[in-house]
Amino acid sequence: MSIPVLTTKLFIPPVRSNAVPRSRLVKKLAAGLSQPGCFILLSGPAGFGKTTLLSELAVRLDQKVAWLSLDEGDNDPVRFWTYLIAACRTNGERIGDAALSLLQTAQQLPVEVVPGILINDLAVFSRSLVLILDDFHTVQNEMIHKSFTYLLEHAPGNLHVVISTRVDPPWPLARFRARNQLVEVRVQDLRFRQDEAEAFLNRTMNLPLSDQEVASLTARTEGWVAGMQLAALSMQGRNNPSSFVKAFTGSNVYVAEYLVEEILLHQAEEIQSFLLKTSILDRLSGGLCDAVMGRQDGKIMLENLYRENLFVLPLDDERLWFRYHQLFADLLRARLQSDFPQEAVVALHQRAASWYEQNGFVAEAVNHVLAVRDFESAARLFEQYGSQMMTRGELATFLSWTDALPDEVIVRHPQIIIAKVWALTLAGEYRLVEPILKLAESYTGSKCDTPETCELVGFTAAIRAFFAMMAGEDDIALQLAERAEGLLPERSVHVRWLLPYTIGAAYRGRGQFEKAVEAFQRQAQMGEAHDNLIVWVTGVTGVALVRRAQGSLREVVQICHQALRRLDAYEAAGFGSLAKLETPLIEVLIEQNELDEAQRRLEGVTARMQNWPMPTDRLHSLLALIQLQTAQGDLIGALETLRVAKELKSNHAVLMNLARLVDLWEIRLFIEAGEFTSADRLLEALQPGTSRWVELRDYELLLLANLRLAQSRPNESQKILSPLVEELEVSERKPALIEALALQAYVWNEQKDRDTALSFFIKALDLAEPEGFVQVFLKFGKPMHQLLAMLSHHQFLETNQRRAYYVDKLSNAVGGRNVEQFEPPGPSGSVSGLVEPLTGREIEVLHLIAAGDSNRTIAKKLVITESAVKKHTGNIYGKLSVNSRTQAVASARQLGILSEQN
Amino acid sequence: MDMLWFYEIRVAGLLTDRWSDWFGDLKIQSDGSGETSLRGIVVDQAALFGVLNKIHALNLTLVSVTRYPDSYELDNSSFHHSSTALS
């Protein structure tokens, strides 16, 4: 469900045929547009013809023009961006699809997210686009300013932004000026010059004025276009304009007041009353004016005003909607306030509000009742339309409304409490939430006897469930979420989609994986049913992560590939918002030691996530990068990534479990680096085995066992591992079990009990082989090669070719990681033929052969035995189907394995 | 508790008193200098900026903003604007 877009706000106001052409300014603007990386700022008070100038510019441009007239209601990031995107796609352009679906998830988004996605889309759009935002001074929201400056700073070359405003925006303008990124048109440029005043008064308005009179009018109004226009209107129909000019220029009463008085005096009483009473409206249509005036002639009145040039501007081609010139409206409103009793003004606003409500514009209705402090009507509108508007994600609007309502009104309306809490939850203001929930409970006493109180109780439970899950309190989260599901009505989609996510995460935390999968699948279906890609992807990613935790690596690959294909079909594969889907796949690729593909994919994910810095998603991808760098032996790189991850988690609210995982990786890297004392200290501080998430607890205990083994304290390692293996054997956590068994094998090997070591090792391999686990065995370096060497003559390999191939792969992987000298296993039957790629070590050997090195030299250089070199050479011959060193080199060059220079 | 302040805001040109409501009940007075003063208690900075925004919206030229303790006599007709003006 999306925000209803008032298309009048996207309409480029037409240039009146008799308007004074301002070619000097249009030229200046057009020149600014042709400067790459520049934006245009049109800054000046009301009535200097900014909008008219922009219309003239828009008409003269060949490029696509996106126009947006902003108003006070756009002080909500969701509304602002929804309108801005709507302006860009008036002809069905594919711009901002992902951003729109994201805006509907109603989350408080980091400021760079939406502009980031747009920048991507615009770069793909490739045609030139001029984005004109009129009346930017109405935007006060800090988030909008931040994200808009992000857009300006990263605008692609084909986007040209033009801003008009009465007040300079709170941006780093000096910096933009210094970098030549800013073209300014300011009040001294906008003033009518003598020649323009003459063209306007004599030709456009057809007034027979002398040069002298034009000059004195220009001086009196200081070239203020609106003043000039008001003066011309006052003179129309007078027999003697000269005497008017004399009286006007002789007076020093405020220009606009003097002239509006003059103009109103010359209007029929009916028109005066119409102008004053309808001045409360930001937009005017016949029907709306009728409602406010209690008459039937609104449409005719507006047409007359337009014909007589009385400061109404059309907002569409059919002339259904108009607005007053802002300055004129201000002057009229000031008079309305001083000439009419307060009750009459209140009644006008109330009538406008009911018309807007009946016609589906709730925000406008609320603005009118709030303008006259009619809080009861505001509260009623809020209750009636609250949940619908929350579904659309108009959070800032909600919060500003609830802030406007006094507390005693709020406590009498449970729906308002719900709205406020939800908005605060999504805005991440967790601390403010609980007091309001308590307030809500004081209203219902946590009883559920009417649909209304049931919803409130269900809602309270859902919010508390979510926070409990975030804090790792899974039991409480599940209890509350299940309660909420039964109580929340179907229409509360905006809260409901959070429930399966909470439930899935909580079950995963407890290790009840099938239940977790069921919940995430439900979330994916919900996303599908409501056409929300982000909710769908979050569900699918949840399923994949659970399968990863179960060790079903092949299924993860399948799930992710299938989902990625669907994204391709939606043309959404490039969206940073959906990039997290690839993270479980990358983790599996790393585990299977397909490091090149993992790296390629991770680079893609990182690039896409630059425009999508949701802290949790980014942290996931950073953890994947640490895994990859560790697997590649790039410890320095991994430590640098860890630093970035730590910074991210300390600056943002992320899942507690994820935050702890960062700490655990720090310890792991310390162990890798041989810094056992530091690792010990950190691990002790974390109290390993106390994590509420079973996966984390396994990981903590395995780390500790690893550390003790590395510290040559195998007995202590054993004490941790024995009960752990026992527990894991009856669990679904296969990856942890594999690692625990492998560790057991190493421990027994250290204690010189080779048979027991081998039996554990074989158990681990048996579990690992079908899913292609590799990395888990590579953590330990030297002991791994000893175990593999022991295995090379074992019957384990002789009975099963698949196992033989697998162990071969493991041995190669250990070699690739540059562990000390080792004996590779004998060539197994399955390693032959062209389809089999060369291993890293074989390629190294091939390079040295190409360089003309003898087997002995190669052995020396690679620190392996001569017979190992021979075995490698034999493998190379087999794979390339050749019989000699020269043939091997030639064939490798042909296949591109070696470059011509080698 | 915030202290209340008395403000005098001066704009160029002459405004009539009918604008008083529009400017949050500030007293509007013109002297012979061709300027108009808007004077009264302004509850806080947000209210002050509201008034300044309205002045800007009407394309009036702001001359000075001066603050006095609220004990200042509103009806002091011999009032001279001091030099602590906003330029």
Side-chain angles (χ1 to χ4, degrees):
Chain A
M1 191 186 299
S2 54
I3 296 171
V5 171
L6 263 175
T7 50
T8 54
K9 284 162 66 70
L10 314 181
F11 179 72
I12 303 174
V15 186
R16 289 186 83 102
S17 55
N18 53 5
V20 176
R22 313 202 73 186
S23 36
R24 67 181 170 99
L25 294 176
V26 171
K27 250 182 235 160
K28 184 170 179 177
L29 295 178
L33 287 180
S34 63
Q35 280 182 52
C38 242
F39 75 95
I40 293 176
L41 182 69
L42 207 59
S43 183
F48 272 98
K50 296 186 295 294
T51 304
T52 312
L53 176 58
L54 292 178
S55 310
E56 193 181 338
L57 175 72
V59 169
R60 299 228 193 144
L61 291 172
D62 299 328
Q63 292 110 306
K64 151 112 191 157
V65 174
W67 179 289
L68 174 56
S69 304
L70 293 160
D71 58 53
E72 271 80 13
D74 298 319
N75 272 300
D76 180 323
V78 177
R79 268 179 94 86
F80 175 88
W81 288 106
T82 305
Y83 268 105
L84 192 146
I85 291 165
C88 294
R89 41 199 271 158
T90 44
N91 290 324
E93 289 88 349
R94 302 289 312 251
I95 298 173
D97 285 343
L100 285 178
S101 84
L102 185 63
L103 287 167
Q104 287 165 34
T105 60
Q107 301 174 64
Q108 179 89 329
L109 301 167
V111 291
E112 314 86 350
V113 172
V114 175
I117 298 173
L118 271 185
I119 288 163
N120 257 10
D121 291 4
L122 287 167
V124 177
F125 179 61
S126 78
R127 277 163 50 208
S128 199
L129 174 80
V130 179
L131 175 63
I132 299 181
L133 301 173
D134 198 18
D135 286 338
F136 211 98
H137 58 269
T138 54
V139 174
Q140 313 273 337
N141 182 296
E142 198 192 340
M143 297 283 283
I144 298 179
H145 279 296
K146 277 191 186 150
S147 44
F148 197 79
T149 31
Y150 184 88
L151 178 70
L152 288 175
E153 278 168 346
H154 300 84
N158 57 334
L159 173 68
H160 310 280
V161 179
V162 184
I163 306 289
S164 95
T165 178
R166 289 191 200 169
V167 186
D168 281 358
W171 306 340
L173 291 181
R175 194 170 80 212
F176 285 126
R177 278 188 201 112
R179 290 189 199 152
N180 276 330
Q181 287 173 326
L182 174 59
V183 172
E184 284 173 280
V185 172
R186 306 192 67 91
V187 69
Q188 64 269 25
D189 306 303
L190 290 164
R191 291 184 203 284
F192 261 173
R193 292 184 186 168
Q194 172 82 10
D195 55 331
E196 286 166 323
E198 205 181 296
F200 173 66
L201 294 167
N202 291 351
R203 264 167 277 153
T204 308
M205 303 306 283
N206 223 351
L207 293 164
L209 297 172
S210 70
D211 283 1
Q212 186 52 47
E213 284 165 334
V214 171
S216 54
L217 278 178
T218 314
R220 172 73 164 102
T221 57
E222 297 176 85
W224 186 29
V225 179
M228 207 72 104
Q229 239 169 325
L230 287 165
L233 276 173
S234 311
M235 283 182 278
Q236 272 186 334
R238 282 179 199 250
N239 298 331
N240 189 354
S242 297
S243 71
F244 169 85
V245 174
K246 218 171 188 181
F248 175 46
T249 53
S251 150
N252 56 358
V253 169
Y254 167 50
V255 172
E257 186 178 357
Y258 183 97
L259 295 170
V260 166
E261 195 82 2
E262 283 289 318
I263 293 166
L264 282 179
L265 272 177
H266 283 81
Q267 303 299 331
E269 191 147 334
E270 231 176 50
I271 295 178
Q272 280 192 34
S273 153
F274 182 87
L275 288 172
L276 289 173
K277 288 181 177 166
T278 56
S279 71
I280 62 158
L281 301 170
D282 290 330
R283 282 178 285 273
L284 308 127
S285 74
L288 178 55
C289 290
D290 287 345
V292 170
M293 297 296 297
R295 297 171 62 111
Q296 299 296 322
D297 55 356
K299 194 166 157 51
I300 300 164
M301 286 292 254
L302 287 172
E303 276 166 11
N304 286 341
L305 293 179
Y306 180 62
R307 219 178 18 252
E308 287 172 30
N309 207 356
L310 267 173
F311 291 92
V312 290
L313 312 170
L315 292 173
D316 52 44
D317 280 327
E318 294 83 38
R319 308 230 174 106
L320 294 174
W321 284 92
F322 293 88
R323 71 174 173 89
Y324 287 120
H325 190 284
Q326 274 169 5
L327 177 90
F328 192 58
D330 279 350
L331 295 166
L332 291 173
R333 279 176 208 170
R335 272 191 76 115
L336 176 74
Q337 231 168 305
S338 76
D339 294 2
F340 282 69
Q342 180 63 17
E343 311 86 71
V345 178
V346 171
L348 292 174
H349 279 284
Q350 283 170 337
R351 279 184 242 152
S354 29
W355 186 90
Y356 271 124
E357 187 193 349
Q358 279 157 26
N359 287 276
F361 298 108
V362 178
E364 285 76 4
V366 171
N367 284 338
H368 273 289
V369 292
L370 283 182
V372 290
R373 305 173 63 81
D374 177 0
F375 297 127
E376 282 307 320
S377 301
R380 185 191 58 75
L381 284 168
F382 217 28
E383 288 213 315
Q384 196 157 341
Y385 301 99
S387 98
Q388 179 193 355
M389 293 189 72
M390 278 187 290
T391 309
R392 296 187 204 129
E394 295 174 80
L395 299 184
T397 311
F398 278 129
L399 285 174
S400 72
W401 285 351
T402 55
D403 287 346
L405 288 184
D407 275 355
E408 68 264 24
V409 178
I410 290 181
V411 289
R412 277 184 278 116
H413 298 89
Q415 287 291 333
I416 299 177
I417 298 174
I418 292 180
K420 191 164 176 126
V421 168
W422 183 241
L424 288 171
T425 302
L426 294 172
E429 302 278 0
Y430 308 138
R431 277 168 301 108
L432 301 178
V433 167
E434 190 55 33
I436 305 177
L437 290 181
K438 290 248 162 65
L439 189 76
E441 276 169 347
S442 74
Y443 174 84
T444 59
S446 71
K447 274 197 311 284
C448 163
D449 34 30
T450 65
E452 197 179 55
T453 49
C454 284
E455 182 174 2
L456 187 60
V457 174
F459 172 79
T460 310
I463 296 292
R464 289 209 170 113
F466 177 68
F467 287 133
M469 185 276 289
M470 287 284 279
E473 307 268 4
D474 298 319
D475 296 343
I476 300 171
L478 279 173
Q479 233 175 4
L480 288 168
E482 268 152 27
R483 179 140 192 246
E485 282 217 304
L487 292 171
L488 276 175
E490 283 297 325
R491 67 182 160 78
S492 304
V493 186
H494 58 283
V495 183
R496 286 197 77 98
W497 79 259
L498 209 56
L499 290 175
Y501 177 71
T502 304
I503 293 170
Y507 273 126
R508 181 182 164 194
R510 302 212 309 198
Q512 285 170 277
F513 292 143
E514 287 315 317
K515 286 192 163 176
V517 164
E518 192 195 314
F520 286 127
Q521 276 168 348
R522 211 144 40 83
Q523 186 190 355
Q525 282 156 11
M526 219 181 250
E528 234 178 326
H530 293 94
D531 229 1
N532 191 317
L533 281 182
I534 291 167
V535 171
W536 175 67
V537 161
T538 310
V540 175
T541 310
V543 174
L545 286 171
V546 175
R547 294 300 183 215
R548 162 83 184 87
Q550 284 175 303
S552 308
L553 306 190
R554 298 193 194 283
E555 198 179 336
V556 175
V557 173
Q558 196 195 341
I559 292 170
C560 292
H561 276 300
Q562 200 179 346
L564 285 169
R565 272 197 300 277
R566 275 189 70 178
L567 287 188
D568 262 335
Y570 280 118
E571 296 178 30
F575 295 164
S577 52
L578 310 175
K580 64 177 164 198
L581 173 62
E582 228 167 313
T583 324
L585 174 59
I586 290 165
E587 284 182 1
V588 165
L589 287 169
I590 296 169
E591 182 55 62
Q592 295 179 330
N593 211 33
E594 303 288 345
L595 301 185
D596 291 344
E597 191 188 342
Q599 183 169 348
R600 189 173 54 73
R601 285 188 179 273
L602 192 53
E603 279 165 5
V605 168
T606 311
R608 274 174 280 151
M609 277 202 188
Q610 292 207 320
N611 297 324
W612 173 255
M614 284 288 272
T616 304
D617 293 359
R618 266 190 66 202
L619 198 52
H620 261 301
S621 79
L622 286 173
L623 285 167
L625 181 58
I626 295 175
Q627 285 174 55
L628 177 67
Q629 286 166 325
T630 311
Q632 288 170 331
D634 176 11
L635 197 58
I636 293 167
L639 284 167
E640 173 55 25
T641 313
L642 178 79
R643 191 188 58 74
V644 178
K646 279 174 80 172
E647 214 175 272
L648 184 71
K649 80 157 179 159
S650 62
N651 294 336
H652 294 87
V654 293
L655 281 173
M656 219 179 80
N657 306 312
L658 219 49
R660 189 161 171 116
L661 198 53
V662 175
D663 296 334
L664 295 176
W665 266 99
E666 181 169 27
I667 296 163
R668 165 86 199 276
L669 293 180
F670 273 130
I671 298 175
E672 286 274 330
E675 307 259 0
F676 301 139
T677 326
S678 305
D680 217 348
R681 188 172 42 78
L682 286 177
L683 198 51
E684 198 173 324
L686 273 182
Q687 296 181 295
T690 56
S691 191
R692 286 199 185 86
W693 265 47
V694 286
E695 288 164 62
L696 281 189
R697 213 186 33 179
D698 295 346
Y699 192 56
E700 288 161 13
L701 294 173
L702 288 169
L703 259 186
L704 188 61
N706 263 309
L707 178 62
R708 293 290 175 260
L709 194 59
Q711 291 169 318
S712 307
R713 286 148 72 178
N715 284 333
E716 288 170 55
S717 196
Q718 186 71 276
K719 271 189 205 134
I720 301 159
L721 289 169
S722 301
L724 184 60
V725 167
E726 234 169 81
E727 184 193 331
L728 288 172
E729 271 177 334
V730 294
S731 81
E732 296 177 64
R733 284 114 65 195
K734 203 198 259 178
L737 178 58
I738 293 170
E739 184 171 348
L741 290 169
L743 272 168
Q744 284 275 43
Y746 301 148
V747 171
W748 286 112
N749 188 45
E750 286 291 296
Q751 295 169 331
K752 310 284 177 225
D753 183 344
R754 295 192 150 205
D755 286 341
T756 316
L758 263 187
S759 77
F760 274 110
F761 192 47
I762 287 170
K763 244 187 189 171
L765 289 175
D766 254 347
L767 283 170
E769 186 271 326
E771 299 286 347
F773 283 84
V774 177
Q775 260 323 305
V776 64
F777 295 108
L778 302 188
K779 287 180 185 171
F780 318 102
K782 195 176 170 188
M784 171 73 193
H785 118 246
Q786 287 175 349
L787 284 166
L788 281 169
M790 276 155 54
L791 203 62
S792 60
H793 308 294
H794 196 272
Q795 57 171 1
F796 173 77
L797 296 180
E798 284 157 20
T799 54
N800 187 329
Q801 275 226 335
R802 229 178 46 202
R803 281 174 168 176
Y805 174 64
Y806 177 62
V807 168
D808 198 35
K809 196 172 157 190
L810 280 182
S811 307
N812 283 330
V814 173
R817 240 191 137 193
N818 234 351
V819 173
E820 303 170 50
Q821 176 184 1
F822 75 105
E823 284 290 340
S828 72
S830 59
V831 188
S832 65
L834 266 171
V835 282
E836 191 60 35
L838 297 182
T839 64
R841 181 45 62 102
E842 285 162 2
I843 290 170
E844 275 181 79
V845 172
L846 193 57
H847 273 275
L848 296 173
I849 292 175
D853 287 345
S854 68
N855 279 356
R856 179 174 300 190
T857 318
I858 293 172
K860 243 185 205 160
K861 282 188 179 172
L862 297 180
V863 206
I864 54 179
T865 61
E866 225 177 309
S867 67
V869 176
K870 277 183 194 156
K871 271 177 187 160
H872 282 305
T873 319
N875 284 346
I876 295 167
Y877 288 5
K879 287 177 181 181
L880 296 174
S881 306
V882 294
N883 301 312
S884 73
R885 293 166 66 109
T886 12
Q887 277 178 344
V889 173
S891 165
R893 283 199 177 130
Q894 212 170 6
L895 292 168
I897 301 168
L898 285 176
S899 68
E900 293 300 323
Q901 283 77 43
N902 287 120
Chain B
M1 166 114 191
D2 287 331
M3 189 172 168
L4 288 176
W5 294 91
F6 180 91
Y7 275 86
E8 187 201 21
I9 299 162
R10 296 186 70 82
V11 297
L14 303 182
L15 271 183
T16 62
D17 196 35
R18 80 169 347 138
W19 292 91
S20 188
D21 277 353
W22 186 249
F23 285 114
D25 283 335
L26 293 178
K27 192 174 163 99
I28 296 183
Q29 243 173 20
S30 300
D31 46 27
S33 65
E35 293 177 1
T36 301
S37 68
L38 289 72
R39 296 195 278 167
I41 305 289
V42 176
V43 291
D44 56 19
Q45 289 293 299
L48 176 64
F49 277 92
V51 173
L52 296 181
N53 273 335
K54 282 181 174 166
I55 288 172
H56 183 58
L58 295 173
N59 190 33
L60 289 162
T61 304
L62 182 64
V63 175
S64 67
V65 179
T66 316
R67 190 179 75 164
Y68 305 93
D70 76 331
S71 55
Y72 192 84
E73 270 303 302
L74 180 62
D75 293 320
N76 183 355
S77 53
S78 64
F79 168 69
H80 294 289
H81 49 98
S82 80
S83 56
T84 52
L86 182 98
S87 52

